[in-house]
Amino acid sequence: MSLDINLYAEFLMHTRSVTVCATVRKDSPTFKKAYVHADRQTVSILCDDVSSIIALPLGIEIKGSVGFPVSDPAEISLRLEIAEDGQPSHGLHMAVVNDVPWSAKRLTTQSQIACRSCSQTIVPAKQRIWKDLPRGSWAETLDQWYCHRPSKDHADGTPFLGAAEPMLDSDTALVDTCHFIILGEDCVDITTESNESLLCRICRSRLGVLDKKFEGLKIFKWNVILLRDHGLEWERNSIQCLVCAQMLELMEDQNVRKFIAHPDETAGEEHGILLWVFNPDIKYSSSHLFGGRPRRAMKILYEKICSPEEMISKMQSSAEELLLPLYVFEQLEKDLDFSDSMLPEPAKRTLPAAAMQQWKVALLDRFDPPGG
């Protein structure tokens, strides 16, 4: 008998419980039931002599052990109560914190940046200070703090706080959610095209664009790998991880949960993706993804659309535009479709059937710092 067991567990913050979903595909007419077992750290399902096991999401423990037969294993859905022994170990809090990949606080004077495609170093290590750029809404926030902007600096000569901007110099590099801004003289093996695009001199892969505001080079994080410190390994972040960080920032600044993603250039017929961040911070485990190891993610409802520019105009303030390089958009689309295909059907019933309509369900992995 051949069985395909798809086992999935997700931590539900608002109910303090773990929902477990599974589907079992079989080719034997004699197969009639399955047995589900959960202890404090794992969930498993046994179908005759075939089993599947996953770890509970990221340190979550359930109360005691449970075990029971399931008469119809084709689709299984159940909820388990979690143990609350003092401080929760799962690390989720009501306030969603946007942990940004490669933020300034994680970088050192030994940090280096290299081309993602050929591993050629483009930003060598240097005695520099890495500074996080303020969020996109920082200027508007200062306007709210100050009802009167003085026309002159303070009496002691210090500049007015509201007029201050981050500075880029030979001793400083700036870090944003999805890019770095670095002086050209501090970079190597980068060429500039007539359209202001930055390319790797060795493999001709795209690295970023010129930044006129700071008069430096804007290097996109999804185009590079990074060595944080001497003796560590080179790191790379997935595109979905960086897109999640960008959406979280826009959620905080613009108070929206829907995004219209589309490429900055077209390859054939114009199309985009309408993204609805249904849950910005979940922890899950899946037998079909990453060997059942726990992960942190966003739960996304998405729908593929035509004419994204028209929809942006139609939805106005209810959705935010997410303009992405073509190759980033294509990878995001693949990640969404792959996740949707891997989730068991019960885990996709996020909304009532009438409300789901054309929505598909996917998980996009978030950046989860060590110890997070």
Side-chain angles (χ1 to χ4, degrees):
M1 177 179 66
S2 175
L3 292 177
D4 177 24
I5 303 173
N6 190 354
L7 181 58
Y8 172 85
E10 178 183 323
F11 172 57
L12 303 175
M13 181 73 183
H14 59 289
T15 60
R16 318 299 297 168
S17 62
V18 174
T19 181
V20 177
C21 302
T23 55
V24 180
R25 295 184 178 87
K26 57 187 184 300
D27 61 7
S28 171
T30 61
F31 178 74
K32 294 182 179 179
K33 68 179 181 181
Y35 187 84
V36 175
H37 179 265
D39 57 26
R40 291 181 66 87
Q41 296 180 334
T42 63
V43 178
S44 61
I45 181 170
L46 177 66
C47 304
D48 289 351
D49 295 328
V50 181
S51 65
S52 180
I53 184 170
I54 58 175
L56 286 169
L58 298 180
I60 295 168
E61 295 184 351
I62 63 170
K63 290 186 175 179
S65 297
V66 295
F68 50 88
V70 180
S71 58
D72 183 9
E75 288 190 1
I76 300 168
S77 182
L78 57 103
R79 188 167 294 181
L80 306 173
E81 187 177 357
I82 69 171
E84 295 283 5
D85 300 328
Q87 295 295 321
S89 59
H90 45 71
L92 277 178
H93 308 284
M94 291 305 293
V96 178
V97 177
N98 185 13
D99 293 306
V100 176
W102 296 336
S103 62
K105 66 181 179 181
R106 303 182 195 280
L107 305 180
T108 71
T109 56
Q110 297 300 313
S111 295
Q112 303 177 51
I113 300 174
C115 172
R116 189 183 185 110
S117 298
C118 68
S119 301
Q120 176 66 31
T121 298
I122 57 173
V123 181
K126 180 183 177 181
Q127 291 291 326
R128 66 166 62 89
I129 299 174
W130 300 87
K131 291 185 178 180
D132 284 320
L133 282 168
R135 280 171 33 182
S137 60
W138 70 279
E140 290 81 356
T141 302
L142 285 174
D143 282 336
Q144 295 172 6
W145 286 350
Y146 295 94
C147 59
H148 172 66
R149 282 180 173 269
S151 57
K152 298 181 180 180
D153 292 340
H154 297 295
D156 62 0
T158 58
F160 171 58
L161 178 62
E165 288 192 12
M167 299 297 294
L168 181 66
D169 55 43
S170 60
D171 298 320
T172 305
L174 304 178
V175 185
D176 205 357
T177 305
C178 291
H179 62 261
F180 304 100
I181 302 178
I182 303 172
L183 282 180
E185 64 192 53
D186 290 337
C187 302
V188 296
D189 289 323
I190 294 179
T191 61
T192 305
E193 297 289 280
S194 57
N195 62 357
E196 301 184 349
S197 293
L198 305 177
L199 301 181
C200 173
R201 189 187 301 273
I202 305 303
C203 68
R204 308 296 293 175
S205 295
R206 184 179 178 185
L207 297 172
V209 295
L210 290 178
D211 189 287
K212 295 181 179 179
K213 178 179 180 180
F214 291 103
E215 297 182 348
L217 307 186
K218 181 184 289 186
I219 300 173
F220 295 117
K221 291 181 179 179
W222 42 54
N223 292 334
V224 299
I225 57 177
L226 184 140
L227 181 68
R228 287 191 294 115
D229 207 346
H230 180 72
L232 300 179
E233 294 183 356
W234 286 88
E235 302 174 2
R236 66 180 64 214
N237 281 297
S238 67
I239 283 177
Q240 59 180 281
C241 179
L242 291 163
V243 171
C244 279
Q246 188 173 2
M247 288 194 293
L248 280 167
E249 183 178 271
L250 291 169
M251 286 171 59
E252 294 169 357
D253 290 346
Q254 306 300 328
N255 195 28
V256 295
R257 284 208 173 204
K258 289 184 178 179
F259 302 89
I260 299 173
H262 65 106
D264 57 5
E265 56 182 303
T266 58
E269 186 177 353
E270 183 181 8
H271 73 289
I273 306 173
L274 176 60
L275 303 161
W276 177 7
V277 181
F278 190 79
N279 192 330
D281 200 1
I282 71 166
K283 301 205 172 183
Y284 76 96
S285 302
S286 170
S287 61
H288 278 33
L289 297 169
F290 305 102
R293 297 188 301 275
R295 308 285 290 186
R296 185 184 187 190
M298 277 181 158
K299 178 171 272 190
I300 303 289
L301 274 62
Y302 73 100
E303 178 183 351
K304 297 181 182 182
I305 57 173
C306 299
S307 304
E309 295 286 357
E310 292 183 12
M311 181 161 287
I312 291 169
S313 177
K314 178 181 178 181
M315 298 189 71
Q316 297 182 351
S317 60
S318 63
E320 191 72 16
E321 181 182 17
L322 203 61
L323 188 63
L324 302 170
L326 178 60
Y327 60 94
V328 173
F329 175 83
E330 291 175 341
Q331 185 60 54
L332 175 64
E333 187 174 25
K334 290 177 183 178
D335 290 342
L336 289 166
D337 289 341
F338 177 75
S339 178
D340 175 70
S341 69
M342 290 294 101
L343 285 174
E345 287 302 320
K348 299 180 185 180
R349 296 181 187 132
T350 306
L351 299 173
M356 284 301 294
Q357 299 180 359
Q358 301 300 314
W359 291 109
K360 294 184 177 182
V361 181
L363 303 176
L364 291 180
D365 281 353
R366 287 186 50 174
F367 176 66
D368 203 16

